[in-house]
Amino acid sequence: MAGKSNFHANLPILDGKNWDTWVKQMKVIFIVQEADEQVNTVFEKITNATTSKDAWDILQKSYGGDAKVKKVKLQALKRQFEFLEMKSDESIVDYFTRVVTLTNQMKNCGSTLNEEEMVEKVLRTLTHKFDHIVVTIEQTKDLSEIKMEDLQSTLEAHELKHGERNHGKEDEQALFVKFKKYQDEKKKWQNKKGSKKGKERVEDKPESSKKEEGGQKKKKDKSTI
């Protein structure tokens, strides 16, 4: 209790002019306090231990997990690894992060998965847009000598080039669609304008012309009879 009282009494005071210094001091204090609390928690767990081995076993079970628990976890992680594959909208960076995170969890549970198996897994589970580069890598490289970070760099470069090409195609397609729409609207406007002019010509004809046309039509009808 006395330690905590002294801790609070020694907190730096913010006076409105020492913001930068105050922030740095508070960060250090929070880190120290968190570490102190963590140490106290550990000591509480091993208080009743009579030997160093007892203390180690207690800590291993508390933080490392029991062997049976690890075995069950490993089986579950292996199933996840088996069905793991790249999503259609996922980037190389994000997919590699998922792969590495999962394999690290497996290793913590006792897995002996090596880097070559990780490389093979990645190459098998990429999306179709990487098919060409995958074939090239498999035919020209020894997979046992490829590092995950090197593979990631190669695939990122391919992803970038593929994205640039697609972006160019998308721009061309968008331009074509806009041009086609413009042509259709122009044609529609011209047809509408032509129809309107034809109607105006009929309406603007003199009455005499309309009567003559009417008379000619009647004569034609009589001759037909």
Side-chain angles (χ1 to χ4, degrees):
M1 293 293 291
K4 287 188 176 181
S5 299
N6 292 334
F7 174 79
H8 290 296
N10 293 328
L11 286 175
I13 298 173
L14 178 63
D15 59 10
K17 299 179 182 179
N18 62 338
W19 169 254
D20 293 336
T21 305
W22 182 83
V23 169
K24 292 177 183 178
Q25 290 175 338
M26 289 302 296
K27 283 182 178 179
V28 172
I29 289 171
F30 286 144
I31 292 171
V32 172
Q33 185 181 22
E34 185 178 353
D36 183 58
E37 291 175 354
Q38 187 66 29
V39 170
N40 289 335
T41 302
V42 171
F43 276 119
E44 286 175 4
K45 289 181 179 294
I46 60 175
T47 300
N48 297 324
T50 55
T51 65
S52 58
K53 185 179 184 305
D54 290 340
W56 178 256
D57 290 341
I58 291 171
L59 293 175
Q60 189 174 27
K61 287 181 179 179
S62 298
Y63 297 101
D66 186 74
K68 291 182 180 179
V69 175
K70 281 188 174 183
K71 189 174 181 180
V72 173
K73 284 183 179 179
L74 181 57
Q75 292 301 321
L77 292 170
K78 281 183 176 179
R79 282 194 293 272
Q80 291 182 36
F81 185 76
E82 182 181 351
F83 293 106
L84 184 68
E85 60 181 20
M86 188 178 185
K87 300 174 184 177
S88 59
D89 59 344
E90 192 172 26
S91 68
I92 285 295
V93 173
D94 291 340
Y95 184 50
F96 267 73
T97 300
R98 286 204 297 136
V99 172
V100 172
T101 300
L102 182 57
T103 52
N104 284 341
Q105 291 174 349
M106 292 170 65
K107 289 176 181 178
N108 290 336
C109 291
S111 172
T112 56
L113 192 72
N114 59 44
E115 194 157 24
E116 183 179 356
E117 291 173 310
M118 293 170 63
V119 168
E120 290 175 348
K121 174 64 178 180
V122 169
L123 293 176
R124 284 198 313 270
T125 55
L126 294 172
T127 54
H128 293 302
K129 67 181 179 182
F130 294 97
D131 286 349
H132 178 71
I133 189 68
V134 168
V135 171
T136 302
I137 291 172
E138 290 178 338
Q139 290 180 348
T140 60
K141 302 287 184 181
D142 184 353
L143 299 186
S144 63
E145 296 180 356
I146 298 178
K147 300 293 183 183
M148 282 289 285
E149 54 268 25
D150 295 334
L151 178 62
Q152 181 175 344
S153 298
T154 300
L155 294 175
E156 280 183 28
H158 178 80
E159 182 180 50
L160 184 61
K161 290 180 181 178
H162 187 272
E164 288 175 350
R165 287 197 209 100
N166 283 349
H167 185 66
K169 289 180 180 178
E170 288 173 1
D171 288 343
E172 289 177 4
Q173 290 174 353
L175 186 62
F176 175 77
V177 169
K178 286 182 180 179
F179 178 74
K180 185 74 168 56
K181 187 177 180 181
Y182 167 76
Q183 290 286 73
D184 292 342
E185 289 179 353
K186 184 179 179 182
K187 188 175 180 181
K188 187 177 179 181
W189 178 78
Q190 288 175 341
N191 291 338
K192 188 176 180 181
K193 187 177 180 182
S195 176
K196 188 176 180 181
K197 282 184 177 180
K199 188 176 180 181
E200 287 175 353
R201 288 196 199 100
V202 172
E203 290 176 350
D204 292 343
K205 280 185 178 181
E207 288 296 324
S208 58
S209 298
K210 291 181 180 180
K211 287 179 180 180
E212 287 177 3
E213 287 178 359
Q216 289 176 359
K217 188 175 181 181
K218 286 180 181 179
K219 287 179 181 179
K220 188 176 181 181
D221 291 342
K222 286 180 180 180
S223 62
T224 304
I225 294 170

